Amino acid sequence: MTGVPASAAGDTSSANGAPVSAGSGAASGGASSGVVESGGPGGPKPARGAKVVAAAVNQASVWNIANLLTMLRLLLVPGFVALMLADGGYDPAMRSFAWAAFAVAMITDLFDGHLARAYDLVTDFGKIADPIADKAIMGAALICLSSLGDLPWWVTVVILGRELGITLLRFLVIRYGVIPASRGGKLKTLTQGVAVGMYVLALTGWLATLRFWVMAAAVILTVLTGLDYVRQAIVLRRQGIAERMAASEETEA
C-alpha cells in the first residue's frame, strides 16, 4: 500500500469520517491501494488491504502474558518427560529437576487464567490451549509414574478418564449453558498437583507413606467431583430443553 494521505491527493472524507480512495484508483472503481473501495448502493465497503490489517491486529493480540504462560506449560511437557525418564527414571537429581518443571507448570496454571480474565486478555487460542496444557502436563506425569512402576495404572486411568470425560461433557452441553468450575473441582486440582508432585520426588520413609494418602484423597475427589459435574450437566440440559419448549410454545401462541 502506498499510504498517500487523502489530503495530499485532493480527496475529502465521507460523512462518517472514513477516507475515500484517491487518484486514478477511484476513477477506475477498484484500486487495491486505498483504505476503502468505492461501494455500490450500500455505500463504501472495506478494501482487501483493510481486512489484512484487521487480521494482523487480531493475530498480534495472541501474544499476551496469559498465553505466553500457557505456551510455557506446553514447552515444559517434553522437558519434564525427558527429566523423568533420564537414567532409567530413578536418578534423584533428575527427579528433583522434573519436580521443579512440574511445579512451574502448576504455578503458571494458577496465574494465566486469572490474568486473562482480569486484564481482558481472553483469546480463542487461550481457550483451546489452556485446557490442553493443563491435561498435557498432568497426563505426562501420571503416565511416566505408572510406566516406572511408581503409581498403579488404575489411578492414572481413573484421573485421566475423568478429566477427558468431563471435558467432553462440557462440550456436549455447551448449547444449554456453561458448567462452572466448582470449589470441589479446584480442590481436586490442587490435591492432584500436590500428590503427583510428591510422587515425582524420590521420597522415602514417612513422606512416601504420606504421599500415598494424599493421592488417595486426590482420587476420591476426582471421582466425587466428576459425578457432581455429570449431575450438573443433566440438570443444565433439562433446564435448557424446558426453556426452549417454553419459548417455542410462546412463539406459536
Side-chain angles (χ1 to χ4, degrees):
M1 289 187 285
T2 60
V4 178
S7 58
D11 282 349
T12 59
S13 298
S14 63
N16 61 3
V20 295
S21 302
S24 59
S28 62
S32 61
S33 62
V35 176
V36 179
E37 290 182 352
S38 299
K45 56 184 178 181
R48 287 184 293 272
K51 296 179 180 179
V52 172
V53 172
V57 170
N58 291 335
Q59 184 64 24
S61 65
V62 171
W63 300 97
N64 59 63
I65 184 61
N67 287 343
L68 289 176
L69 289 176
T70 299
M71 294 177 197
L72 174 62
R73 289 212 311 285
L74 288 171
L75 293 175
L76 283 172
V77 174
F80 168 82
V81 173
L83 291 169
M84 277 290 295
L85 302 180
D87 295 330
Y90 294 102
D91 186 333
M94 292 296 101
R95 293 284 286 258
S96 297
F97 287 126
W99 176 86
F102 182 80
V104 170
M106 291 294 100
I107 291 172
T108 56
D109 181 31
L110 297 176
F111 285 103
D112 60 355
H114 173 73
L115 289 172
R117 291 185 296 270
Y119 296 98
D120 195 20
L121 301 176
V122 178
T123 62
D124 290 338
F125 171 82
K127 293 176 183 177
I128 297 172
D130 182 67
I132 292 176
D134 297 343
K135 289 167 180 58
I137 189 66
M138 181 61 71
L142 290 168
I143 292 173
C144 284
L145 289 170
S146 292
S147 64
L148 293 172
D150 294 340
L151 190 68
W153 274 107
W154 70 266
V155 174
T156 295
V157 171
V158 167
I159 293 178
L160 293 185
R162 183 270 191 198
E163 298 300 328
L164 295 176
I166 295 304
T167 299
L168 178 61
L169 185 64
R170 287 177 184 272
F171 281 112
L172 291 176
V173 300
I174 193 67
R175 70 181 68 179
Y176 305 110
V178 176
I179 303 176
S182 63
R183 292 183 178 179
K186 295 177 181 178
L187 179 61
K188 177 269 306 178
T189 301
L190 176 61
T191 308
Q192 280 184 1
V194 173
V196 171
M198 293 179 73
Y199 269 85
V200 169
L201 287 171
L203 300 178
T204 58
W206 69 272
L207 288 174
T209 303
L210 176 62
R211 72 182 182 181
F212 169 83
W213 291 109
V214 176
M215 180 60 76
V219 172
I220 292 173
L221 286 171
T222 297
V223 174
L224 292 180
T225 55
L227 293 174
D228 182 60
Y229 279 128
V230 171
R231 180 192 62 79
Q232 291 186 54
I234 293 174
V235 172
L236 188 63
R237 181 176 181 275
R238 287 176 178 174
Q239 290 177 346
I241 293 175
E243 290 174 357
R244 288 187 177 185
M245 292 180 62
S248 177
E249 291 175 357
E250 290 181 359
T251 301
E252 292 177 357

